[in-house]
Amino acid sequence: MRYHIGGLPQEKLLDLYKGMLKPRMIEEKMLVLLRQGKISKWFSGIGQEAISVGVTQALNAEEYILPMHRNLGVFTSRGVPLHRLFGQWQGKKSGFTNGRDRSFHFGTQEYRIVGMISHLGPQLGVADGIALADMLRRKKRATAVFTGEGATSEGDFHEALNVASVWNLPVLFCIENNGYGLSTPTNEQYNCKDLVDRAKGYGMESRIIDGNNILEVYSKVNELCNAIRKRPRPILLEFKTFRMRGHEEASGTKYVPEKLMKKWAKKDPIANYEDFLKEKGILDDAKIEAYRAEIAEEINTNLQKAYDEPSIESTPTKELNNVYQNFDYKHYKKNDNTENIRFVDAVSQGLEQSMEKYNELIIMGQDIADYGGVFKITEGFTKTFGKRRVRNTPICESAIVSAAMGLSINGMKSVVEMQFADFVSSGFNPIVNYLAKVYYRWGQNADVVIRMPCGAGVGAGPFHSQTNEAWFTKTPGLKVAYPAFPSDAKGLLATAINDPNPVLFFEHKGLYRSIYEDVPTDYYTLPFGKANVLRNGKDLSVVTYGAGVHWALEILEKHPEINADVIDLRTLQPLDVDAVYESVKKTSKLIILQEDTLFGGIASDIAAMVMENCFEFLDAPIRRVGSLETPVPFAKALEQEYLPKQRFEAALLELYAY
């Protein structure tokens, strides 16, 4: 192995050596503890220390780094206290997740580290968002994100690289090519010679680096960091290395040819660098023993500190209270001046006023800039706020949701427009596995609103008509708003943007240009979790939301003999169950209307909760009405049959007569 010192001082050469030695010695200790049953799992980075240490030391302390399983050297190089790392791996309170996640699945703002999730790919887009925030603030910073060669086959990898290239984001995409994705060798994962060849397709620079040569890693990465701080742009790095142990310790390495293991054992980054420093007279056996003794003492002292800490305890109340970041709702009253506008205008107005309120609020979505979006919600916004804040995106929902998460990590709010709610399936993973869980896991909020133009009735067919709110009301950590009127849409959108938690904001396309209302002209907010009682009655309770509200009101107008409570839920998570219970206790009959298909929808949960809490007040079976259990059809006659409006009328009359 050839080492080039360049202009590095002796102190730095030794610092890099100690930087690699520390994670190696910690790992050796962890393997012993794993066999003793004192930790539950371990992903070894033995043989790859030069990458983690070299990259981290090339970054400035305020620059974010996003590591993977095998990057212990990132954490030790950033000076994370060992007792906290050991506490994390033992599920102790001193760790970073309060026992809610394991190993390296955590982040820490204090040390500018953002840990990965098991789905791997989304963290690449998160790095894009972090870098975007730095670039928008004109901070000359780099962001480094790690991935393995296996995850480069994921769509998120390609999406994130494309976004970074189009937006010229200062991100180092670091591929640790260690030969195997669990047990799958590289020749079964991809069919190009080098992974960096893919950079050409994205118009990116790339480098291949010997991942076992600490001086090459540090020097080249340091040079590249300086370059992208001056002229922001992404660079794809492929570190050639090898995984000397199993994917995780239970996997073993029987699938690796012995000859290959011996070849890479000779390339051990620490042993070779140690020999080099000894040859140069920079290091000797006495220094090595002194370093080892110092590190061993630090490990043992901090291990004992972690052992002495009691097992973590909690309560259901505490756990539930840590799913969302606390939001102190601030009420902005409606002003007296009103304007009769459409639903679509109210959404646009609410979004524009929030952009004025928050100078760092970013909007991202397909065709939303000069074109104004397919529904023209953001028409004219670029003239007012510029393209830095109103950002057209490539067609890559997953990377953009992940980038929104990165913006939040770096202290910015964002609104993502799904062109149609149906397309959210392409961004589903980062929503339900990253945004929804991140605060509960390590206390980082996801300050993101995802706008969801949804709903049938406009002849748009199976891929542009879904109302898929139940996908998200099921997921702890997400909030879901679904207004039915222009004034509610404007006020709830303002609240959604104020809220530091992730919000799915559903906007029914069929209401966009068909529903008008007198809407206050100034900025105002409405609380989440507070239903609106539109009509008061004694015969029965109608609970609904979205387009269902208008169907229910229309049908009740046809039947003046029915004196009904009509409750517009407005938000589905949080849900105003008290308003529902209060109404049922008064009327003793309940019918729930939703546009979504019936099975597994919000109506089922409301019905179950009412049965559990108000059973003695019921004088009739609860009725649920929803759309047919089919995809949304295109032809008008089929779509009308699919939707529940007419079935609701029949069920309403049956319940009234019961």
Side-chain angles (χ1 to χ4, degrees):
M1 192 173 293
R2 297 174 64 84
Y3 292 101
H4 299 284
I5 292 177
L8 295 178
Q10 181 173 312
E11 182 183 0
K12 188 63 184 178
L13 297 174
L14 289 172
D15 192 37
L16 291 169
Y17 172 72
K18 289 187 288 183
M20 290 193 294
L21 185 60
K22 189 172 185 177
R24 173 69 64 89
M25 291 182 66
I26 293 171
E27 283 221 41
E28 290 168 349
K29 187 71 172 181
M30 291 305 111
L31 295 177
V32 173
L33 297 180
L34 183 69
R35 289 192 289 271
Q36 294 174 345
K38 294 181 178 178
I39 57 173
S40 63
K41 208 173 189 69
W42 189 255
F43 295 88
S44 177
I46 287 177
Q48 298 175 214
E49 293 90 350
I51 304 170
S52 299
V53 173
V55 171
T56 308
Q57 291 205 25
L59 291 169
N60 296 329
E62 71 275 7
E63 293 176 323
Y64 282 93
I65 187 165
L66 294 84
M68 293 278 286
H69 297 88
R70 269 168 269 281
N71 296 125
L72 173 58
V74 169
F75 298 86
T76 54
S77 295
R78 280 277 162 101
V80 177
L82 293 192
H83 77 276
R84 296 201 65 190
L85 283 177
F86 299 152
Q88 170 67 22
W89 301 334
Q90 294 177 38
K92 299 290 184 71
K93 186 174 177 59
S94 62
F96 294 87
T97 64
N98 284 300
R100 294 169 184 152
D101 213 335
R102 64 184 186 182
S103 64
F104 295 98
H105 291 279
F106 70 91
T108 161
Q109 285 283 7
E110 183 180 357
Y111 299 96
R112 293 294 189 268
I113 296 173
V114 179
M116 40 79 70
I117 66 171
S118 291
H119 302 73
L120 307 179
Q123 76 169 4
L124 298 162
V126 172
D128 284 349
I130 291 171
L132 175 60
D134 282 337
M135 193 174 73
L136 291 172
R137 290 167 174 159
R138 293 181 169 82
K139 292 183 177 178
K140 298 181 184 298
R141 291 179 180 172
T143 298
V145 58
F146 285 89
T147 191
E149 89 289 333
T152 64
S153 296
E154 290 189 318
D156 290 88
F157 172 83
H158 303 279
E159 291 188 13
L161 264 63
N162 190 49
V163 169
S165 182
V166 170
W167 289 352
N168 287 315
L169 300 175
V171 181
L172 294 178
F173 292 97
C174 304
I175 304 171
E176 291 183 294
N177 191 340
N178 59 22
Y180 286 85
L182 209 154
S183 68
T184 305
T186 53
N187 68 318
E188 295 178 22
Q189 295 186 58
Y190 55 86
N191 204 25
C192 54
K193 181 177 180 292
D194 299 303
L195 287 167
V196 291
D197 292 342
R198 296 177 176 178
K200 296 174 185 176
Y202 300 110
M204 289 173 58
E205 297 175 40
S206 63
R207 305 283 192 282
I208 293 175
I209 297 175
D210 182 351
N212 285 34
N213 185 325
I214 183 63
L215 294 188
E216 183 175 337
V217 173
Y218 172 76
S219 298
K220 287 190 176 181
V221 174
N222 186 52
E223 176 188 335
L224 294 172
C225 283
N226 287 329
I228 67 175
R229 289 178 193 125
K230 293 175 184 174
R231 181 168 67 87
R233 63 198 189 275
I235 300 176
L236 181 62
L237 305 178
E238 182 177 359
F239 296 94
K240 302 286 191 179
T241 185
F242 195 74
R243 201 181 69 215
M244 298 302 294
R245 303 191 69 85
H247 168 71
E248 45 92 17
E249 286 305 306
S251 305
T253 57
K254 290 182 179 179
Y255 48 84
V256 182
E258 186 177 351
K259 185 178 179 181
L260 192 59
M261 290 289 285
K262 288 180 178 178
K263 173 188 171 183
W264 279 96
K266 293 177 182 178
K267 297 182 178 182
D268 183 282
I270 298 177
N272 280 286
Y273 187 55
E274 187 177 281
D275 289 342
F276 170 75
L277 292 178
K278 288 170 78 173
E279 287 173 13
K280 293 291 183 181
I282 298 170
L283 187 64
D284 56 32
D285 290 339
K287 275 186 180 179
I288 293 170
E289 287 306 310
Y291 291 155
R292 285 185 168 274
E294 178 187 348
I295 294 169
E297 182 179 359
E298 183 184 3
I299 291 171
N300 292 330
T301 300
N302 282 276
L303 265 177
Q304 192 59 51
K305 190 173 182 179
Y307 288 148
D308 291 343
E309 186 180 349
S311 297
I312 198 161
E313 295 181 357
S314 188
T315 63
T317 298
K318 182 178 179 181
E319 295 304 294
L320 289 168
N321 286 342
N322 278 270
V323 174
Y324 299 97
Q325 182 178 352
N326 183 53
F327 172 43
D328 292 324
Y329 169 73
K330 183 176 180 181
H331 187 64
Y332 290 83
K333 293 181 180 179
K334 294 179 179 179
N335 63 301
D336 294 331
N337 295 328
T338 62
E339 183 182 4
N340 191 259
I341 58 175
R342 303 168 298 178
F343 193 108
V344 70
D345 303 319
V347 173
S348 179
Q349 196 177 97
L351 188 56
E352 183 176 19
Q353 289 176 355
S354 289
M355 289 286 281
E356 291 166 351
K357 178 178 172 64
Y358 295 104
N359 291 330
E360 290 191 328
L361 173 61
I362 308 301
I363 311 176
M364 300 184 289
Q366 295 158 29
D367 305 297
I368 67 165
D370 291 340
Y371 188 70
V374 293
F375 299 105
K376 304 301 180 183
I377 298 285
T378 54
E379 190 169 31
F381 277 33
T382 55
K383 203 172 283 186
T384 306
F385 304 109
K387 287 189 175 182
R388 288 170 64 84
R389 293 183 62 196
V390 185
R391 306 187 71 88
N392 276 341
T393 72
I395 300 176
C396 51
E397 287 82 3
S398 188
I400 297 307
V401 171
S402 298
M405 181 69 244
L407 284 169
S408 183
I409 287 170
N410 212 350
M412 281 188 166
K413 289 179 175 289
S414 63
V415 174
V416 176
E417 178 183 300
M418 290 291 158
Q419 201 166 69
F420 293 87
D422 311 66
F423 299 165
V424 76
S425 54
S426 295
F428 191 74
N429 179 32
I431 293 173
V432 300
N433 285 311
Y434 210 132
L435 271 63
K437 298 176 182 177
V438 67
Y439 187 76
Y440 179 75
R441 288 171 51 241
W442 57 278
Q444 171 62 53
N445 70 308
D447 199 344
V448 180
V449 175
I450 301 176
R451 292 186 39 249
M452 303 276 283
C454 65
V458 293
F463 301 118
H464 297 78
S465 305
Q466 294 177 84
T467 175
N468 43 19
E469 66 277 0
W471 295 359
F472 306 104
T473 53
K474 165 65 182 164
T475 305
L478 300 176
K479 295 186 178 183
V480 179
Y482 203 143
F485 294 95
S487 61
D488 288 346
K490 180 178 175 180
L492 290 172
L493 181 57
T495 300
I497 292 169
N498 290 342
D499 196 320
N501 296 286
V503 179
L504 280 295
F505 196 86
F506 285 82
E507 304 162 11
H508 199 289
K509 306 189 305 292
L511 305 182
Y512 268 160
R513 290 171 170 80
S514 65
I515 301 299
Y516 287 74
E517 192 182 19
D518 291 335
V519 177
T521 55
D522 291 348
Y523 179 89
Y524 64 92
T525 59
L526 292 172
F528 276 24
K530 186 67 177 174
N532 192 13
V533 181
L534 301 173
R535 286 180 54 164
N536 282 288
K538 58 182 178 57
D539 295 335
L540 53 83
S541 301
V542 178
V543 173
T544 185
Y545 56 95
V549 173
H550 301 281
W551 299 336
L553 291 172
E554 180 185 332
I555 288 168
L556 284 167
E557 285 296 318
K558 289 172 57 180
H559 299 280
E561 72 278 10
I562 301 177
N563 190 358
D565 265 8
V566 178
I567 298 175
D568 175 8
L569 293 171
R570 299 199 289 191
T571 63
L572 308 180
Q573 183 60 265
L575 183 68
D576 190 353
V577 293
D578 291 337
V580 177
Y581 295 163
E582 185 179 339
S583 179
V584 169
K585 289 175 182 179
K586 178 179 68 171
T587 68
S588 300
K589 293 180 181 179
L590 173 63
I591 184 169
I592 311 161
L593 171 62
Q594 65 184 37
E595 181 177 335
D596 193 9
T597 52
L598 196 57
F599 188 83
I602 196 76
S604 299
D605 280 304
I606 293 172
M609 288 188 288
V610 170
M611 285 293 290
E612 291 172 359
N613 294 278
C614 303
F615 177 75
E616 65 271 26
F617 294 93
L618 292 171
D619 289 340
I622 298 171
R623 296 300 304 268
R624 296 174 301 132
V625 185
S627 292
L628 292 180
E629 301 290 331
T630 72
V632 187
F634 157 66
K636 186 174 182 180
L638 295 180
E639 190 177 39
Q640 287 179 342
E641 185 178 61
Y642 164 84
L643 290 169
K645 185 176 177 181
Q646 300 309 317
R647 289 188 297 280
F648 171 74
E649 184 173 12
L652 179 75
L653 293 171
E654 287 176 9
L655 183 62
Y656 176 67
Y658 188 90

